Amino acid sequence: MADENSPHRRDPIKSSVGNVAAQRRRQSAISVGKERRESLVRAKRFCRVSVSGGGGDDGDISLDHEMVIDEEDSILEAQTSSAVQELQTAVAFQGKGAMQKRVNALRELRRLLSRSEYPPVEAALKAGAIPLLVQCLSFGSPDEQLLEVAWCLTNIAAGKPEETRALSPALPLLIAHIGEKSSLPVAEQCAWALGNVAGEGEELRNILLSQGALLPLARMMLPNKGSTVRTAAWALSNLIKGPEQKAATELIRIEGVLDAIVRHLKKADEELATEVAWVVVYLSALSNVATSMLVKSDVVQLLVERLASSNSLQLLIPVLRSLGNLVAGDSRTTCSVLVPGHEITDSVITVLVKCLKSEHRVLKKEAAWVLSNIAAGSVEHKQSIFSSEALPLLLRLLSSSPFDIRKEVAYALGNICVGPAEGDGRPKLIVEHLVSLVKNGCLSGFVELIRSADTEAARLGLQFIELVLRGMPNGEGPKLVEQEDGIDAMEMYQFHENEDLRNMANGLVDKYFGEDYGLEESSS
Amino acid sequence: MEWNQETLQSLSQCFLNTLSPSPVPRRQAEAFLSSASEQPNYGLAVLRLVAEPTVDDQIRQAAAVNFKNHLRLWWAPSPADTTRILDPEKDQIKSLIVPLMLSSSPRIQSQLSEALAVISKHDFPQSWPNLLPDLVSNLQKASASSDYTSINGILGTANSIFKKFRYQYKTNDLLLDLKYCLDNFAKPLLDIFLKTAQLIDVAAGPGGAAEALRPLFESQRLCCRLFYSLNFQELPEFFEDHMTEWMTEFQKYLTSSYPALESSGPDGLTLVDELRSAVCENITLYMEKNEEEFQGYLNKFATAVWSLLGEVAQSPSRDRLAITAIKFLTTVSTSVHHTLFAGDGVIQQICQTIVIPNVRLREEDEELFEMNYVEFIRRDMEGSDLDTRRRIACELFKGIAANYKAQVTSILSAQIQNLLSSFATNPDANWKDKDCAIYLVVSLATKRAAGGSASATTDLIDVERFFNTVIVPELQSQSIKEFPMLKAGALKFFTMFRNHIPKGVALGLFPDLVRFLSSESNVVHSYAASCIEKLLLVKDEGGRVRYTSADISSVLLPLMNNLFAALRFPESEENQYVMKCIMRVLGVADISQGVAAPSIAGLTSILNEVCKNPKNPVFNHYLFESVAVLVRRASERDPSLISTFEASLFPSLEMILANDVTEFFSYAFQLLAQLVELNRPPIPASYMPVFTILLSPDLWNRSSNVPALVRLLQAFLQKAPHELNREERLSLVLGIFSRLVASPSTEEQGFYVLNTVIESLDYGVIATYMVNIWHALFTRLHKKRTVKFLKSLLIFMSLFLVKHGSVHLVDSMNAVQAGIFIMILEQIWIPSLKLITGSIELKLTAVASTKLLCECPVLLDATAAQRWGKMLDSIVILLSRPEEDRVEEEPEVPDLAENVGYTAAFVSLYNAGKKEEDPLKEVRDPKEFLVASLARLSALSPGKYPQIIAETLDAANQNALFQFCNSYNCPLV
């Protein structure tokens, strides 16, 4: 009994199989990378045309002509400074026509701030525009004036981070003006300014939330159509971005919000649907409460329909990511929606195949990610992917696509080969799937992942190799791994700093390719 | 530990003594330091010593190393009673280390920088919030005054802190840390990088001095390494926004030359090349992970790297740069942009300008071959060549072959033919061409398992033909001195492709292999030994070994002769390849007396030699394995040899014990155990002194000795039980047990001893000791109850029960205190049963529990139905659920025993080994045993047990039990 208490009884690899089976991954809540959404839909938006639809406003008729004029920055800056001074005079003026004077001064400033690609925000701030604008936002001011102020603030907030932060003193009043008593154009323009502020970052989002911006914005999203609804949805998506999940949970609990989301996804034009889909993205990424409410509604079905019918990349990206987050969420609710054999499940796979075939890299990657989460489900889920058109596509992508896509694809393929941990049994290998994937040449793709510099990808590669070594019938595994130069790839980890990878790789090499001491035992 | 003049003195002296060449003061100093390190503030005192400018530099260096190691062991949070560095000490260390590191000499700086990395691994950033801001403000200050000593110190520190981003998994926690580092450091890093870049541009101009450039290049290299760490996980927003600024400078460093610095001595060029290598690693990273954002720069970089390689390939000593540059091209070749290689003639050109020149032997390779055969073999044969240019050049070709296999194969085949015909025209002048050809074939072959059934394959050449026409002539060459590198290459080829060489051909070459053992070249005789050794492992389909004792009998004597002779060549006295070959041959060959006698003489004389100063653990291991296999196989054949072996080995073993050669203790005990087991009782009197060893508690304290001591104890208990029972020896052994079991760090060893005793002796012998044994166990249980202890206790009780019966178990426990058995049963046994892991342990405890369940009155009593049900419930959990569902991972407890004295670990000798004993061989399947026993029991009182089961067992467990009953066809009535 010398080894009775040996601490080495546990094979570190054993448990890794469980890991593969449990691979359901949300998009990481923390990101150091650029927010990819910005390249498509900017988190901050510049306002050039009045929300009230233009037309009646004399200043805007000539806008397009003015835009063409390429004025020198310095002239623009000088004009801005004097416009702010003009505003100061107008605000101080108490005599007859004071109101009109203020509106005129504001309009002039707004024109200057809307004219160029690079508005003279700095000059305006330096000249002291913010306190004056805050003063002009005071309650009881006429709509015309409020609209101009909010427009100015919108474009200031669309600037650099410190310029956005300069809006802080204006925030309470901006929030006050998105209430139900305000006119729609004023409310919308204020929401726009707030959306820009929220788009800046976590700190400002938290300020807005603490000042109560969420509820009035949410109410603005409830009606059926109109630019106000769209602007509100966009601002909301910025406001609930997190990384805290509280705002997302609060939003979904506001009465009517879930209904509105469902309604918009069902009926709205693509532009509005896009903004609403982004709201769903953040709701589903951050809040478990929101995820389970969304899953119980018709949202999954609607997302699938949108994916099937649209060709707008702007719309497809948030819709696909929402779907992925919902699938990655609570597995039980998900399984109750994506019931294997039901039409919905097949249509999900069909739309994902469409995305995998797309030319667009983000769609391919996210579709593979969603598939990997579905493949983490029941054996039936795995079978439906296995027997679908997705499989040959995944296999091809594993060998020929950029790294980030290959990694997602590898998760999907790995999950297809491992059964879920059911009741009392440990996760089981699905030998039929494994054999078929290996026969179709996926092994080299996984060996390639082991060689990559990415630790997660390397782990995935090693886990798959372990499946092959252990699970291929007739002990064929080691030979296959050898043929793909797998030993060589694993030996790279002999002295790796990541202990887990090192142990996995060394353990596998020792176990399946180790030095043969037992010469006589095996010959006798 | 208080910091005063006296501490300073004594610590200084100690550290000086640790550097002493004579073992006595060195060991004393080490022992002193190891006990001093248990005191609070020890780390702080050592750090202060490092900071003391009046102390000799080598002492401070030794102290810095010790400080780093101390932190490595003790900084991480550990259970309360083992904490050595308390929070106030930690705070002080943290406040001292940064300025101290910045002001120290380079060697101390590097130690402190590693220590800092250890601290930050646990404390940064959460528990060390001012570290990064401090570093940044120091950096900005230093930057303002262009103080590059400080700048590089700070960058070096940041580099060691940020390295973790290069290998840890991407978790939310890691990303949070990374985000924090990026928010604080990304911009300052770019600022200093651009500032330095500007300074370089100025200083590199006409009239620029090398001295001015040196620190600047070092600084840029560090910036590049930091870039690498911060970009490793994903592409950060800041770096994406400023990619052009980085890439512009990167490209400059790859395409510009800096004559003032590059021509200022050999390290000038090295400095520039190190920066270039760091750049190559960065662009390789981008190429691999961010190829979309990077693709705008790709073409320019590819061109730059290519032309740089053209330059580098011609020159020696620029390995690192050549390797990183080739790696970049390899990454491109396997990426979606591999079409860069698709152009007409590109692959051909790569082959000629990059691959072949880098694969060709260089002077350094020849020097290494001559001067440092160990390192040469490590790189050439054992896959540590991942970072040699020969290997990396081949990797590039493999990378390209992923998409252009046919082209690569045809170009290479032609190239190999060219090299071989060039050799044929003038072997003396062109022998390196042949070496190059062999290297290409071997390296581009697919790697195969080291010892398994396969070796290597390739589709570049026809292996058998290549072997016959290119390799065999070298192996049969009459002169073993000529072109030793070619001989080595041929032997390597033979070894690699051993599976493909028909048995007849290989056997014909055996005498040549034996001949090469007497080559003076260390590489050549090592490769010959290795080739023989690997050939003897080759298996044919079906697992049958290809070469048997009959195949080698004709060469056996010269083979053994030459093997021992090879160990007399200079530098090969401890040649592990030769020793491993000796072990393998002794394991295969038919060992007659004529072989055994000289072999044991040769081995013991080597053993006596290495005892004086054990250096090469691998060699020593094979040496002991050789002795063990010789003893085992020769004695099996001819038992009369045992006494010969004893006579030869005893003096050596005694010397090991007498001279305290701790490295060899566990080997010595294993050999002794083997000899005891081979003897027929009565054991010769010469073994009696060994008992004294077994009874020395100090030896048992060292965890690495324990498995071997247990083996020895087992051997004695089995072969000479009555000897153990004499002169109070048993009570002494049990004394060791109670000492070991009292502390959590040695309890495992204690149970080893106890289990061995309980398993081997009759109850009559141990009965009188049982009260004391239980007492020791219950005391420990009362004082400290760890999961590990509970499991060990349960296993012990089970072993006791299956060996000596439940009545003895219950009675002997209750003799300590009335009714204690029920208490233990309810509080320990039933709840802990589900924690048992390991198949033998599981079977043992399950069977023992079943026996209790079916035969113990305490459970069968009419009033004990509830208890009976709970016990069964636990057994069913143990048998029906997989390990990971029932066992909760225990937090890692640092194993103190590992840190006592030396860190020699127990190494098991395969050839002296014993299979893990299953104490219950008669029971095949514990589930079957359970249901069969239950069926028998329930048949005695029908209806009783199904009812208890229905009332007390968890529903899932009832179901599992029901399934067991069904599958073994043992219904419960």
Side-chain angles (χ1 to χ4, degrees):
Chain A
M1 303 276 294
D3 284 329
E4 188 165 86
N5 295 321
S6 163
H8 302 298
R9 66 196 146 64
R10 279 189 158 235
D11 181 356
I13 299 298
K14 259 191 232 164
S15 54
S16 71
V17 185
N19 293 345
V20 177
Q23 280 302 345
R24 224 174 244 280
R25 297 158 307 125
R26 287 201 192 184
Q27 300 281 4
S28 214
I30 297 131
S31 165
V32 299
K34 222 183 177 61
E35 203 176 343
R36 295 297 145 184
R37 182 184 173 195
E38 283 181 24
S39 54
L40 302 161
V41 189
R42 287 166 43 144
K44 291 188 201 170
R45 294 173 181 178
F46 186 60
C47 175
R48 277 184 185 157
V49 183
S50 166
V51 291
S52 54
D57 188 45
D58 57 6
D60 291 315
I61 297 169
S62 57
L63 185 75
D64 287 341
H65 304 288
E66 281 182 281
M67 284 301 297
V68 184
I69 302 164
D70 197 9
E71 279 163 302
E72 294 258 343
D73 286 354
S74 54
I75 299 175
L76 199 59
E77 279 166 23
Q79 287 174 342
T80 307
S81 297
S82 64
V84 174
Q85 267 156 28
E86 196 57 39
L87 177 61
Q88 188 163 19
T89 322
V91 167
F93 182 70
Q94 297 292 340
K96 192 165 180 250
M99 202 265 282
Q100 195 53 48
K101 200 172 156 117
R102 273 204 302 278
V103 171
N104 288 343
L106 284 166
R107 183 171 295 141
E108 179 57 22
L109 180 60
R110 180 263 295 169
R111 275 192 202 147
L112 290 164
L113 285 171
S114 324
R115 190 177 290 177
S116 133
E117 188 86 37
Y118 302 99
V121 175
E122 211 184 320
L125 292 178
K126 220 190 263 169
I130 293 289
L132 296 170
L133 292 171
V134 172
Q135 230 175 314
C136 297
L137 267 184
S138 58
F139 289 110
S141 307
D143 278 2
E144 203 181 0
Q145 175 181 328
L146 290 173
L147 203 56
E148 294 292 355
V149 180
W151 193 341
C152 286
L153 288 170
T154 298
N155 286 355
I156 291 173
K160 298 186 193 115
E162 61 275 16
E163 293 164 353
T164 312
R165 271 194 289 276
L167 249 69
S168 297
L171 299 181
L173 283 167
L174 282 172
I175 294 170
H177 286 299
I178 55 174
E180 278 153 7
K181 288 181 184 143
S182 304
S183 74
L184 273 187
V186 168
E188 185 184 354
Q189 192 64 57
C190 289
W192 193 332
L194 290 170
N196 278 344
V197 173
E200 175 48 41
E202 186 187 357
E203 196 189 335
L204 285 170
R205 281 200 273 285
N206 287 340
I207 292 175
L208 289 176
L209 289 168
S210 69
Q211 292 179 355
L214 189 68
L215 185 63
L217 275 179
R219 289 203 177 126
M220 281 174 74
M221 196 183 68
L222 302 183
N224 275 341
K225 55 186 171 188
S227 70
T228 317
V229 181
R230 200 170 61 224
T231 305
W234 165 76
L236 274 173
S237 73
N238 272 350
L239 189 63
I240 63 166
K241 254 185 221 176
E244 286 290 317
Q245 55 85 30
K246 207 167 144 244
T249 303
E250 266 175 47
L251 176 61
I252 197 70
R253 284 186 168 143
I254 291 172
E255 208 190 324
V257 166
L258 182 58
D259 281 350
I261 289 173
V262 171
R263 235 182 312 119
H264 294 323
L265 285 179
K266 196 178 284 177
K267 293 187 180 151
D269 57 35
E270 293 210 329
E271 261 184 291
L272 175 54
T274 301
E275 301 301 353
V276 171
W278 277 111
V279 173
V280 178
V281 165
Y282 293 113
L283 287 172
S284 56
L286 292 165
S287 164
N288 290 329
V289 175
T291 306
S292 64
M293 287 170 71
L294 289 164
V295 168
K296 284 177 199 141
S297 72
D298 289 338
V299 165
V300 173
Q301 177 68 42
L302 294 169
L303 291 171
V304 171
E305 282 165 16
R306 287 283 179 179
L307 276 175
S309 63
S310 174
N311 282 313
S312 151
L313 190 62
Q314 257 82 339
L315 175 61
L316 289 177
I317 287 176
V319 168
L320 181 55
R321 186 172 299 176
S322 298
L323 183 65
N325 280 339
L326 293 177
V327 173
D330 179 9
S331 58
R332 257 162 299 179
T333 18
T334 312
C335 284
S336 67
V337 177
L338 294 187
V339 183
H342 283 200
E343 203 189 322
I344 176 79
T345 312
D346 293 337
S347 19
V348 167
I349 294 176
T350 310
V351 293
L352 291 174
V353 165
K354 172 184 162 186
C355 295
L356 281 183
K357 284 182 181 163
S358 136
E359 280 306 299
H360 201 277
R361 179 178 180 137
V362 177
L363 288 183
K364 276 197 248 193
K365 180 180 164 185
E366 303 235 344
W369 165 65
V370 181
L371 276 169
S372 80
N373 282 333
I374 297 175
S378 69
V379 174
E380 291 78 18
H381 285 119
K382 293 164 204 285
Q383 274 160 355
S384 37
I385 298 176
F386 181 76
S387 54
S388 76
E389 211 190 329
L391 199 74
L393 283 169
L394 289 171
L395 282 166
R396 207 176 59 229
L397 289 170
L398 182 69
S399 66
S400 65
S401 56
F403 177 75
D404 49 351
I405 298 178
R406 273 193 286 139
K407 192 162 126 186
E408 294 302 338
V409 167
Y411 271 116
L413 292 173
N415 282 348
I416 288 174
C417 295
V418 203
E422 271 170 350
D424 57 342
R426 62 163 65 241
K428 287 208 186 73
L429 248 168
I430 305 181
V431 177
E432 183 202 343
H433 292 180
L434 181 70
V435 169
S436 158
L437 291 187
V438 171
K439 288 244 159 73
N440 283 297
C442 77
L443 192 52
S444 64
F446 282 97
V447 171
E448 201 51 46
L449 287 183
I450 298 180
R451 293 179 191 277
S452 81
D454 187 278
T455 42
E456 256 182 313
R459 177 174 54 186
L460 189 55
L462 287 171
Q463 286 171 336
F464 192 83
I465 297 299
E466 194 270 338
L467 295 183
V468 172
L469 288 172
R470 181 166 50 95
M472 287 299 284
N474 311 322
E476 231 188 335
K479 215 164 87 193
L480 292 167
V481 171
E482 275 175 2
Q483 273 163 13
E484 293 301 337
D485 237 357
I487 301 174
D488 193 68
M490 288 190 278
E491 281 180 350
M492 289 169 52
Y493 289 86
Q494 213 167 354
F495 304 106
H496 198 268
E497 288 118 315
N498 184 307
E499 198 188 344
D500 189 37
L501 292 177
R502 192 175 63 230
N503 290 342
M504 275 172 83
N506 293 347
L508 286 176
V509 172
D510 283 351
K511 183 163 176 191
Y512 291 98
F513 306 99
E515 191 81 51
D516 199 350
Y517 265 119
L519 182 60
E520 280 159 304
E521 261 61 34
S522 49
S523 66
S524 60
Chain B
M1 182 174 280
E2 213 173 312
W3 179 245
N4 51 34
Q5 201 53 34
E6 201 186 326
T7 311
L8 175 70
Q9 285 296 332
S10 64
L11 278 180
S12 299
Q13 190 56 47
C14 249
F15 283 117
L16 187 62
N17 288 350
T18 59
L19 305 170
S20 160
S22 58
V24 176
R26 192 177 66 231
R27 284 188 184 163
Q28 271 174 0
E30 281 163 0
F32 174 83
L33 289 175
S34 129
S35 75
S37 73
E38 289 171 24
Q39 298 179 36
N41 290 329
Y42 169 81
L44 190 57
V46 176
L47 185 62
R48 289 217 159 106
L49 174 67
V50 176
E52 200 54 59
T54 55
V55 176
D56 183 64
D57 213 46
Q58 63 165 349
I59 293 176
R60 291 166 61 197
Q61 263 173 46
V65 174
N66 181 276
F67 174 75
K68 176 195 71 185
N69 291 334
H70 182 67
L71 260 51
R72 237 182 223 154
L73 284 174
W74 301 110
W75 191 275
S78 50
D81 55 334
T82 58
T83 303
R84 288 205 186 167
I85 310 178
L86 300 171
D87 285 346
E89 185 185 354
K90 285 189 174 181
D91 289 342
Q92 289 202 55
I93 289 176
K94 282 193 277 195
S95 69
L96 286 175
I97 193 167
V98 175
L100 178 56
M101 188 203 60
L102 291 180
S103 63
S104 335
S105 64
R107 279 192 190 169
I108 292 179
Q109 193 173 62
S110 76
Q111 294 298 328
L112 292 182
S113 171
E114 278 183 56
L116 205 147
V118 173
I119 302 177
S120 43
K121 190 175 164 205
H122 302 286
D123 287 20
F124 180 80
Q126 273 84 7
S127 316
W128 202 356
N130 52 347
L131 175 64
L132 199 52
D134 277 359
L135 289 177
V136 169
S137 76
N138 276 319
L139 180 64
Q140 277 154 353
K141 247 181 275 165
S143 166
S145 56
S146 293
D147 167 6
Y148 271 86
T149 316
S150 295
I151 291 174
N152 292 347
I154 295 161
L155 294 176
T157 305
N159 190 29
S160 52
I161 302 172
F162 294 170
K163 268 184 193 160
K164 68 170 175 181
F165 300 122
R166 292 187 207 165
Y167 57 86
Q168 291 191 3
Y169 289 134
K170 189 193 279 184
T171 59
N172 275 348
D173 286 344
L174 188 78
L175 286 177
L176 274 178
D177 288 356
L178 177 57
K179 195 165 158 29
Y180 169 82
C181 294
L182 286 165
D183 289 348
N184 281 279
F185 207 77
K187 181 155 189 319
L189 179 66
L190 179 60
D191 290 346
I192 188 72
F193 180 71
L194 292 178
K195 177 196 159 95
T196 312
Q198 220 167 22
L199 292 177
I200 289 179
D201 289 347
V202 174
E211 279 323 299
L213 284 166
R214 269 167 209 279
L216 301 178
F217 272 83
E218 171 62 10
S219 189
Q220 292 305 69
R221 185 189 69 83
L222 285 167
C223 286
C224 284
R225 300 308 292 154
L226 284 158
F227 177 101
Y228 189 77
S229 296
L230 293 175
N231 280 276
F232 192 89
Q233 295 289 342
E234 52 187 77
L235 175 59
E237 180 163 13
F238 185 87
F239 283 89
E240 184 172 348
D241 289 345
H242 296 90
M243 201 182 282
T244 304
E245 281 140 287
W246 284 100
M247 294 304 145
T248 310
E249 299 305 317
F250 283 176
Q251 212 190 322
K252 204 190 288 171
Y253 298 133
L254 293 185
T255 51
S256 313
S257 65
Y258 299 88
L261 184 53
E262 288 175 16
S263 58
S264 71
D267 69 318
L269 181 61
T270 308
L271 262 180
V272 183
D273 276 357
E274 279 176 348
L275 173 56
R276 292 183 180 132
S277 312
V279 166
C280 285
E281 289 188 56
N282 288 344
I283 56 175
T284 304
L285 180 71
Y286 269 33
M287 187 60 224
E288 189 173 342
K289 293 179 119 178
N290 315 308
E291 125 285 323
E292 190 174 24
E293 293 80 3
F294 180 70
Q295 62 179 328
Y297 307 91
L298 173 62
N299 278 324
K300 280 186 176 171
F301 273 115
T303 318
V305 168
W306 191 319
S307 60
L308 187 63
L309 270 172
E311 229 177 89
V312 173
Q314 308 305 322
S315 101
S317 78
R318 301 179 76 180
D319 284 12
R320 183 85 207 123
L321 177 56
I323 288 162
T324 49
I326 296 175
K327 275 187 181 164
F328 172 71
L329 292 184
T330 309
T331 306
V332 178
S333 76
T334 53
S335 76
V336 283
H337 297 293
H338 59 77
T339 42
L340 278 180
F341 296 88
D344 248 3
V346 174
I347 298 177
Q348 176 72 29
Q349 215 185 334
I350 287 180
C351 182
Q352 269 159 3
T353 59
I354 300 176
V355 178
I356 300 292
N358 278 299
V359 168
R360 187 176 287 277
L361 277 178
R362 296 153 189 277
E363 243 169 74
E364 301 101 276
D365 300 319
E366 292 180 70
E367 259 170 42
L368 197 66
F369 184 88
E370 290 274 326
M371 311 298 293
N372 188 350
Y373 81 97
V374 176
E375 181 60 21
F376 182 90
I377 294 175
R378 230 172 50 79
R379 290 190 196 173
D380 188 49
M381 189 77 157
E382 299 185 338
S384 315
D385 58 347
L386 270 178
D387 276 330
T388 66
R389 25 197 318 180
R390 296 191 100 181
R391 166 74 183 275
I392 294 301
C394 291
E395 289 299 309
L396 172 59
F397 244 44
K398 280 194 193 175
I400 301 173
N403 291 298
Y404 307 95
K405 192 165 176 81
Q407 276 165 275
V408 167
T409 309
S410 82
I411 288 173
L412 258 180
S413 304
Q415 198 68 45
I416 288 166
Q417 283 318 311
N418 287 345
L419 290 165
L420 290 176
S421 47
S422 147
F423 169 78
T425 56
N426 186 351
D428 281 350
N430 299 337
W431 65 271
K432 285 186 186 174
D433 287 340
K434 182 167 179 178
D435 174 90
C436 189
I438 297 177
Y439 189 90
L440 283 172
V441 172
V442 172
S443 300
L444 292 169
T446 301
K447 181 78 169 276
R448 289 291 169 119
S453 55
S455 51
T457 56
T458 179
D459 36 20
L460 276 177
I461 47 145
D462 173 348
V463 174
E464 232 180 298
R465 234 188 71 207
F466 191 87
F467 187 73
N468 289 330
T469 56
V470 180
I471 304 298
V472 169
E474 291 299 331
L475 295 177
Q476 289 179 335
S477 146
Q478 281 317 297
S479 159
I480 57 171
K481 278 191 169 171
E482 253 179 9
F483 308 124
M485 293 190 90
L486 273 186
K487 303 285 184 293
L491 288 166
K492 182 168 83 165
F493 187 97
F494 192 1
T495 312
M496 288 285 285
F497 293 96
R498 58 189 178 277
N499 267 30
H500 301 265
I501 312 301
K503 181 169 173 177
V505 178
L507 279 179
L509 291 165
F510 253 83
D512 292 307
L513 294 176
V514 173
R515 201 162 51 95
F516 279 112
L517 286 173
S518 54
S519 161
E520 277 174 33
S521 159
N522 300 88
V523 176
V524 173
H525 62 240
S526 303
Y527 277 10
S530 187
C531 187
I532 294 170
E533 194 261 319
K534 294 278 191 296
L535 279 170
L536 293 182
L537 278 177
V538 172
K539 294 198 184 94
D540 285 322
E541 292 290 320
R544 186 183 293 278
V545 283
R546 192 182 285 177
Y547 303 95
T548 62
S549 57
D551 296 319
I552 55 170
S553 62
S554 63
V555 292
L556 185 57
L557 277 178
L559 171 58
M560 289 309 291
N561 243 336
N562 283 6
L563 282 168
F564 279 107
L567 292 172
R568 290 193 286 272
F569 282 116
E571 307 287 315
S572 272
E573 296 88 349
E574 297 189 8
N575 186 314
Q576 66 196 51
Y577 307 97
V578 175
M579 189 46 84
K580 193 175 183 185
C581 184
I582 292 178
M583 173 193 79
R584 190 72 66 215
V585 174
L586 289 175
V588 173
D590 215 3
I591 303 185
S592 63
Q593 202 134 18
V595 177
S599 296
I600 194 69
L603 291 172
T604 40
S605 103
I606 296 166
L607 178 56
N608 293 340
E609 206 45 50
V610 294
C611 280
K612 292 179 191 157
N613 185 10
K615 280 182 299 207
N616 181 346
V618 180
F619 175 83
N620 296 336
H621 179 77
Y622 291 131
L623 171 62
F624 281 101
E625 286 283 6
S626 299
V627 174
V629 71
L630 174 63
V631 168
R632 181 165 59 83
R633 298 190 71 233
S635 313
E636 271 166 15
R637 206 184 124 130
D638 179 0
S640 73
L641 279 170
I642 297 174
S643 53
T644 319
F645 290 137
E646 285 168 352
S648 314
L649 285 170
F650 266 29
S652 309
L653 298 178
E654 272 166 22
M655 183 170 75
I656 290 171
L657 297 170
N659 295 355
D660 205 25
V661 189
T662 49
E663 292 90 335
F664 290 168
F665 275 10
S666 69
Y667 289 126
F669 301 144
Q670 290 179 78
L671 284 181
L672 279 171
Q674 189 189 26
L675 289 169
V676 170
E677 276 162 8
L678 287 168
N679 263 287
R680 291 204 189 101
I683 299 290
S686 50
Y687 283 93
M688 286 310 115
V690 176
F691 261 117
T692 4
I693 301 167
L694 274 175
L695 301 177
S696 145
D698 279 349
L699 286 178
W700 289 93
N701 266 347
R702 226 169 262 159
S703 64
S704 60
N705 288 341
V706 172
L709 284 168
V710 167
R711 275 270 285 123
L712 187 52
L713 184 62
Q714 281 175 332
F716 271 114
L717 285 168
Q718 280 154 11
K719 291 283 176 178
H722 51 284
E723 295 294 340
L724 188 77
N725 203 15
R726 236 179 262 161
E727 297 167 26
E728 293 294 298
R729 286 190 185 118
L730 183 54
S731 75
L732 286 169
V733 169
L734 291 171
I736 291 173
F737 144 74
S738 35
R739 230 189 86 169
L740 292 172
V741 89
S743 149
S745 58
T746 49
E747 66 189 23
E748 226 163 342
Q749 287 91 309
F751 276 107
Y752 276 129
V753 176
L754 183 60
N755 291 340
T756 311
V757 170
I758 290 300
E759 206 187 349
S760 324
L761 296 180
D762 290 337
Y763 189 70
V765 180
I766 48 175
T768 48
Y769 299 99
M770 280 320 297
V771 171
N772 286 337
I773 292 174
W774 289 122
H775 191 75
L777 291 170
F778 296 155
T779 310
R780 170 59 216 283
L781 185 65
H782 182 67
K783 280 209 315 229
K784 194 159 174 67
R785 181 185 290 204
T786 61
V787 173
K788 200 168 73 170
F789 180 80
L790 294 180
K791 290 194 317 199
S792 300
L793 179 61
L794 187 49
I795 288 167
F796 165 69
M797 293 189 292
S798 301
L799 185 65
F800 188 116
L801 188 148
V802 301
K803 287 289 162 186
H804 306 298
S806 61
V807 176
H808 282 318
L809 178 72
V810 177
D811 291 353
S812 69
M813 281 168 86
N814 284 339
V816 178
Q817 186 187 317
I820 198 166
F821 178 76
I822 291 188
M823 231 168 80
I824 295 284
L825 186 69
E826 290 188 333
Q827 291 177 16
I828 311 287
W829 195 308
I830 293 174
S832 306
L833 190 58
K834 64 175 196 295
L835 304 174
I836 296 296
T837 52
S839 61
I840 290 182
E841 291 83 347
L842 182 140
K843 184 165 100 178
L844 173 64
T845 50
V847 169
S849 305
T850 305
K851 286 191 168 183
L852 268 186
L853 195 69
C854 299
E855 60 187 46
C856 182
V858 173
L859 283 159
L860 293 175
D861 192 89
T863 58
Q866 188 75 13
R867 191 183 299 145
W868 190 93
K870 278 187 189 158
M871 183 69 162
L872 180 58
D873 198 52
S874 281
I875 302 174
V876 174
I877 291 177
L878 179 70
L879 291 174
S880 65
R881 309 225 179 130
E883 226 171 72
E884 59 271 22
D885 288 356
R886 42 183 180 84
V887 180
E888 278 168 40
E889 281 300 336
E890 254 187 294
E892 276 300 312
V893 182
D895 196 353
L896 293 180
E898 286 301 323
N899 303 312
V900 177
Y902 308 91
T903 48
F906 170 70
V907 191
S908 167
L909 280 175
Y910 173 78
N911 283 300
K914 223 178 103 163
K915 287 258 174 70
E916 192 176 353
E917 282 289 335
D918 179 352
L920 277 172
K921 290 193 195 67
E922 66 277 15
V923 178
R924 202 174 41 87
D925 179 347
K927 289 179 196 160
E928 188 179 7
F929 185 82
L930 173 70
V931 288
S933 306
L934 281 178
R936 272 198 305 275
L937 180 69
S938 69
L940 297 176
S941 17
K944 174 178 172 190
Y945 294 101
Q947 190 192 346
I948 303 181
I949 290 168
E951 280 166 11
T952 45
L953 261 68
D954 178 83
N957 296 337
Q958 285 190 36
N959 192 29
L961 179 63
F962 179 67
Q963 283 183 1
F964 290 169
C965 290
N966 270 355
S967 51
Y968 293 102
N969 201 16
C970 292
L972 304 184
V973 290

